[in-house]
Amino acid sequence: MNRRDFIQLTSAGAGALIVPGLTTGGRFIAAEALLDPGLDVAIKKRLADAGLSAAKARGASYADVRIGRYLNQFVTTREDKVQSIINLESFGVGVRVLVNGCWGFASLGDASTEAQVAETAEIAVAIAKANIALLAEPVQLAPQKGFGEVSYKTPFTKNLFEVPIKEKVDLLLSVNGAAMTNGANFVNSVLFMVNEQKYFASTDGSYIDQDVHRIWPTFTVTGIDRATGQFQTRNSLGTAKAMGYEYLQTAPPDRITGRPTTLFNNYYDMLDDATLAARQVKEKVKAKSVEAGKYDLVLDPSHLRLTIHESVGHATELDRVLGYEANLAGTSFATLDKWKSKTFNYGSKQVNVFADKIQPGSMGAVGWDDEGVKTKKWDLIKDGILVNYQAIRDQVHMLGETESNGCCYADSWNAVQFQRMANVSLAPGPDQLSVDELIKDVKKGIYIIGYGSYSIDQQRYNFQFGGQLFYEIKDGQLAGMLKDVAYQSNTQEFWNACVKVSDKRDYRVEGSFFDGKGQPAQLSCVSHGSATARFNGVNVINTARKV
């Protein structure tokens, strides 16, 4: 094995180990073990009840028990070779308690007896009591009704782990072959597959069993101009989905302009995308370098997802707003005084942003969050005005509310659940408006597809974003590919520059496994939906390295 292959292989393995549920406590298993159904729900209930009873007996006013089993499979290939096939499992229990207004938490891996769970709960109570000496203000927990014994399962028709490894390998090698046949110099492709089996029980009277499935097919194609030594890449335009293997259907989408269609909400033709990527990366190498200046930007949902995530998603997390969270990715400019004014223009009247945990196929879609709150949808920005935040049970009283938004999450049984980003999406425009109609009256603009490098400050305000593909727009027509493009703005200026959003026919949901937050850091899964949108007069820079 040469050095380059070794780095690629070890990088894939390292990436696998930071997927949600595997920050610690994961073990390698045989592929067949991924189909093991795990503990019966009746056994989980007995284990949870042991923890709840022990916590109450030691003085907890509230307690919850989370029993988690996390299954993961990663298939990694490069050109005509399989580089790694990794199967992982992590299992354990986490107990959170509230004693005299103070939180305590403890966890144990491979907890299989009632006595073990009870002891873990007792440790959590002891930690809470020890923490009381440092408590500045008692926790105020929003009331929550118990739901009894309920369950949720990601809708799918083809279990990810029932598909033979050979079928997955054959798909990825076919993807690589299609890219190489069409002119790529290098290509690597990966399938990430995750199953979270989560059981939640609380002293409120909830016993919630959830079975969540997620998949992410992705690749990177590289093209080199041998004459100049320059190279360009194009990443997959597929996205992560809360679906089964049926997401990887092969049916040719309509790509007259090279942009993905709304069919990507229902399937992803990975082979077709790789073929197109190889052709586009050759064009990208020879593309004209952009001339810096002001442009009208037409942003595809595959690109806009990251801008939404960084400038709205993180900025409207209440713990960031309050300064409680600053370790990873900073605080927020969208402070309470702006919300209280009821007049703060986060964006133009075309900007309507909502949060939700129920959107079908989205990465954050579950039935209940990790503190037993029924998930829902709610507005963050309405007609350009900041109207709400993302908040959980011990935060909502700060907003004068009594009901959590249902966006609490922990990435493993051994991690404390805390406020995490819901799916945050830009609503499509109300009037019928196609992408071609959006482009046709742009005199000087750039159409951007896919997300690339980015930078944003610690208040989620000043930023710079790149992309995968850039097309010049001249007098309402696409006029060839550009490269070296990035745009700069600040959050308020950018969203106030939004003049038009395409209608629901163009609305797509784009997802990610890797939303980081907290210290110790946790990862969560999140999606962002939008239709193609237009932003006028945005500053574009040339990112080419000057020698």
Side-chain angles (χ1 to χ4, degrees):
M1 180 181 291
N2 62 37
R3 179 179 179 276
R4 190 162 109 183
D5 285 341
F6 174 78
I7 291 172
Q8 174 69 23
L9 175 58
T10 53
S11 296
L17 292 171
I18 63 169
V19 167
L22 287 168
T23 50
T24 61
R27 63 187 180 94
F28 294 96
I29 59 173
E32 293 78 11
L34 296 171
L35 294 174
D36 187 316
L39 291 180
D40 182 80
V41 68
I43 297 175
K44 294 178 186 176
K45 186 175 187 296
R46 287 201 298 271
L47 293 173
D49 278 338
L52 297 178
S53 296
K56 288 190 291 184
R58 292 299 179 101
S61 59
Y62 168 84
D64 57 49
V65 176
R66 289 181 297 109
I67 301 170
R69 181 172 180 244
Y70 298 81
L71 304 176
N72 301 261
Q73 186 177 83
F74 313 92
V75 183
T76 306
T77 71
R78 177 169 176 178
E79 283 92 53
D80 60 350
K81 294 179 175 61
V82 178
Q83 291 202 290
S84 63
I85 298 171
I86 301 172
N87 302 303
L88 291 163
E89 178 184 39
S90 178
F91 173 78
V93 62
V95 182
R96 185 179 67 157
V97 301
L98 193 60
V99 180
N100 295 332
C102 190
W103 286 120
F105 177 81
S107 64
L108 180 67
D110 294 322
S112 57
T113 69
E114 294 173 37
Q116 287 177 314
V117 179
E119 183 180 1
T120 303
E122 291 169 358
I123 294 171
V125 171
I127 290 172
K129 289 178 177 178
N131 286 340
I132 290 172
L134 302 175
L135 187 64
E137 183 178 341
V139 170
Q140 296 183 45
L141 202 60
Q144 178 59 53
K145 72 171 185 176
F147 291 96
E149 296 186 40
V150 291
S151 64
Y152 170 88
K153 186 171 185 174
T154 299
F156 65 84
T157 59
K158 199 170 185 179
N159 190 318
L160 299 168
F161 301 127
E162 290 179 352
V163 177
I165 288 288
K166 184 179 185 304
E167 184 175 333
K168 297 167 183 174
V169 167
D170 287 347
L171 170 64
L172 294 184
L173 293 181
S174 295
V175 164
N176 297 354
M180 298 296 287
T181 299
N182 283 277
N185 295 99
F186 302 103
V187 57
N188 57 66
S189 57
V190 183
L191 280 177
F192 292 84
M193 290 151 286
V194 172
N195 175 210
E196 293 184 358
Q197 300 170 16
K198 303 195 296 184
Y199 188 84
F200 173 92
S202 74
T203 51
D204 291 327
S206 289
Y207 296 90
I208 303 168
D209 192 42
Q210 301 196 85
D211 186 21
V212 181
H213 295 246
R214 301 185 178 104
I215 182 172
W216 182 27
T218 187
F219 62 75
T220 299
V221 168
T222 302
I224 300 172
D225 184 343
R226 300 291 187 186
T228 64
Q230 294 186 8
F231 70 93
Q232 292 288 338
T233 63
R234 206 274 252 170
N235 293 336
S236 161
L237 294 180
T239 187
K241 285 283 188 177
M243 293 179 67
Y245 202 77
E246 69 275 5
Y247 178 50
L248 289 170
Q249 298 178 48
T250 54
D254 177 18
R255 294 222 188 94
I256 296 173
T257 63
R259 61 178 179 260
T261 73
T262 52
L263 292 175
F264 269 47
N265 271 329
N266 304 316
Y267 72 81
Y268 174 47
D269 190 336
M270 196 176 188
L271 190 69
D272 184 64
D273 191 26
T275 300
L276 182 61
R279 296 169 182 168
Q280 289 174 330
V281 82
K282 289 193 296 183
E283 185 182 357
K284 194 174 177 182
V285 168
K286 299 181 180 298
K288 180 175 68 174
S289 190
V290 71
E291 182 179 337
K294 295 281 188 180
Y295 291 83
D296 294 346
L297 301 182
V298 178
L299 303 182
D300 186 82
S302 61
H303 170 84
L304 199 50
R305 55 170 280 195
L306 185 60
T307 311
I308 293 170
H309 179 92
E310 300 295 344
S311 66
V312 183
H314 280 311
T316 55
E317 293 177 297
L318 186 58
D319 54 356
R320 293 189 189 281
V321 170
L322 297 172
Y324 295 165
E325 169 62 37
N327 289 312
L328 184 59
T331 57
S332 173
F333 80 97
T335 49
L336 287 179
D337 58 305
K338 296 179 175 66
W339 166 70
K340 289 176 180 177
S341 75
K342 301 184 186 301
T343 59
F344 178 68
N345 283 103
Y346 207 109
S348 67
K349 290 186 179 298
Q350 283 68 41
V351 176
N352 292 281
V353 178
F354 61 92
D356 79 67
K357 294 281 291 180
I358 58 176
Q359 201 165 9
S362 67
M363 293 290 280
V366 291
W368 289 263
D369 77 349
D370 279 358
E371 54 182 3
V373 177
K374 184 70 175 171
T375 51
K376 64 178 183 179
K377 173 182 174 181
W378 70 101
D379 290 327
L380 297 173
I381 300 169
K382 191 69 174 174
D383 298 328
I385 303 298
L386 177 67
V387 296
N388 209 341
Y389 298 102
Q390 303 169 71
I392 59 174
R393 288 186 68 181
D394 62 1
Q395 298 173 336
V396 290
H397 70 277
M398 303 174 197
L399 301 175
E401 298 178 3
T402 59
E403 181 181 300
S404 167
N405 296 139
C407 53
C408 194
Y409 178 79
D411 71 358
S412 175
W413 51 266
N414 60 12
V416 181
Q417 61 266 57
F418 71 125
Q419 189 272 309
R420 297 309 307 267
M421 192 188 303
N423 302 310
V424 174
S425 301
L426 175 67
D431 301 322
Q432 186 166 310
L433 181 66
S434 70
V435 177
D436 291 333
E437 290 169 329
L438 196 69
I439 290 173
K440 71 178 183 180
D441 58 346
V442 174
K443 298 298 182 184
K444 177 188 176 185
I446 301 174
Y447 176 45
I448 303 179
I449 299 171
Y451 64 94
S453 63
Y454 73 97
S455 176
I456 191 166
D457 70 19
Q458 294 294 292
Q459 283 70 51
R460 326 309 298 176
Y461 196 63
N462 297 291
F463 61 67
Q464 176 176 309
F465 285 91
Q468 290 294 312
L469 298 170
F470 313 95
Y471 293 92
E472 185 176 14
I473 304 172
K474 280 186 176 181
D475 298 323
Q477 299 290 326
L478 298 183
M481 192 179 285
L482 298 171
K483 63 183 177 183
D484 308 322
V485 177
Y487 60 88
Q488 295 176 327
S489 189
N490 66 58
T491 295
Q492 192 178 8
E493 180 181 88
F494 175 79
W495 288 104
N496 272 281
C498 182
V499 294
K500 292 181 180 180
V501 183
S502 294
D503 62 59
K504 62 184 180 181
R505 296 171 300 169
D506 187 53
Y507 183 86
R508 300 196 297 279
V509 178
E510 304 276 336
S512 171
F513 273 108
F514 303 115
D515 174 30
K517 186 178 178 182
Q519 189 178 22
Q522 292 190 39
L523 298 173
S524 72
C525 299
V526 66
S527 289
H528 305 287
S530 76
T532 305
R534 186 173 126 197
F535 299 77
N536 283 358
V538 180
N539 186 50
V540 169
I541 64 168
N542 185 302
T543 61
R545 179 180 296 177
K546 303 297 190 295
V547 179

